[in-house]
Amino acid sequence: MLSIMPRRASRRPRTLAAVPTAVTESPLALTRRARRINRELARLYPDAHTELDFTTPLELAVATILSAQSTDKRVNLVTPALFARYRTAADYAGADRAELEEMIRTTGFFRNKTTALIKLGQQLVERFDGEVPRTLDELVTLPGFGRKTANVVLGNAFGVPGITVDTHFGRLVRRWRWTASTDPVKVEHEVGALIPKRDWTILSHRVIWHGRRVCHSRKPACGACAIARLCPSFGEGPTDPEVAAKLVKTPEQVAESA
């Protein structure tokens, strides 16, 4: 006589089924979840800030232009001597090209960046009395500026709230299903609709810090992520806490790659 034994339940990988998909989540639920993530990021990164060194709006504008296709650490090594040599917009406008190229060579694409900095200085002198303007509409007309650079300067030099959509920010907000868009302007507007305006600048820093430290592009440290319970993409990376913990970058490692 055959005995029928109960079938052992198969072990399934850990999931976060409680987090709705973009299809089932209501706009109100999405807003609440986004703000919970923002609060958790605030707890995780109370000291989040731009990792570019600067003391004036012009210095931040220059540093941000130099940071394209470079690391913040590399830019911060270059800018002390650069800022000592070029103190005003007029200094950049009248810069010797060969000298300026040599000073910023190690940041990469130094010829294009030199052109942008000289033209930036000229435009600031000709149109804005040598001062960096304080509005998005004016900033995006300047050489070397797009919305990302403009929002960096607005938020960090002038205290005007702005969302900085870099590669880290776009990757994370799509993983969190705050947006499905890959267009930076659409991402900026859709995320801005979820988060109070007063938090836009600091949110950008928090998300970027989390992307550099935990939520990596190829292998996010899901099992070591403090917001895993709120993330519909949990499982894209290792979920075992010990394995995931090895993927979390230290401040020193971040400084090398940021």
Side-chain angles (χ1 to χ4, degrees):
M1 181 177 179
L2 295 176
S3 62
I4 301 177
M5 300 294 292
R7 182 177 297 176
R8 179 177 298 176
S10 60
R11 296 186 64 183
R12 296 182 179 180
R14 182 184 171 195
T15 62
L16 293 183
V19 179
T21 66
V23 176
T24 62
E25 191 171 32
S26 71
L28 178 58
L30 171 59
T31 299
R32 287 175 173 170
R33 182 168 62 83
R35 295 185 180 191
R36 287 177 65 192
I37 289 176
N38 183 37
R39 290 194 296 272
E40 186 65 22
L41 292 174
R43 185 189 67 79
L44 292 171
Y45 309 112
D47 300 320
H49 58 273
T50 179
E51 293 177 288
L52 292 170
D53 295 337
F54 73 99
T55 60
T56 68
L58 178 61
E59 288 183 357
L60 180 56
V62 170
T64 305
I65 290 171
L66 294 180
S67 69
Q69 305 299 315
S70 185
T71 65
D72 291 350
K73 181 180 180 180
R74 170 52 55 188
V75 173
N76 290 338
L77 290 173
V78 166
T79 50
L82 184 71
F83 293 161
R85 175 68 180 84
Y86 301 96
R87 297 181 180 275
T88 68
D91 291 336
Y92 287 100
D96 177 82
R97 170 173 284 276
E99 178 188 62
L100 184 52
E101 283 185 354
E102 189 59 31
M103 293 190 77
I104 67 171
R105 178 182 294 272
T106 58
T107 68
F109 300 93
F110 61 93
R111 293 189 179 89
N112 290 341
K113 291 177 182 179
T114 295
T115 298
L117 293 180
I118 291 174
K119 289 184 176 180
L120 173 65
Q122 293 170 345
Q123 289 285 306
L124 291 177
V125 169
E126 293 170 8
R127 298 170 54 203
F128 301 105
D129 296 322
E131 300 295 325
V132 177
R134 294 170 175 258
T135 70
L136 181 67
D137 289 343
E138 291 174 320
L139 285 170
V140 295
T141 67
L142 293 171
F145 269 73
R147 289 183 69 93
K148 183 178 79 171
T149 303
N151 279 322
V152 169
V153 172
L154 286 174
N156 297 282
F158 296 125
V160 177
I163 293 175
T164 302
V165 183
D166 73 350
T167 54
H168 296 290
F169 190 95
R171 179 178 73 252
L172 268 63
V173 297
R174 282 188 290 274
R175 278 181 174 164
W176 297 335
R177 311 283 165 79
W178 291 7
T179 177
S181 180
T182 58
D183 178 79
V185 177
K186 290 182 179 179
V187 171
E188 181 184 333
H189 290 312
E190 290 176 11
V191 172
L194 299 173
I195 303 296
K197 187 174 182 178
R198 65 179 181 273
D199 287 347
W200 286 357
T201 299
I202 190 63
L203 170 73
S204 301
H205 295 317
R206 292 167 183 163
V207 174
I208 291 168
W209 276 41
H210 194 63
R212 287 174 171 173
R213 289 155 175 77
V214 178
C215 196
H216 313 303
S217 57
R218 294 187 179 178
K219 192 180 286 187
C222 292
C225 180
I227 60 173
R229 69 190 184 283
L230 300 170
C231 180
S233 297
F234 179 85
E236 286 191 13
T239 60
D240 181 272
E242 292 185 5
V243 175
K246 296 177 182 178
L247 299 175
V248 177
K249 289 188 176 181
T250 66
E252 293 73 23
Q253 290 172 320
V254 170
E256 290 294 330
S257 61

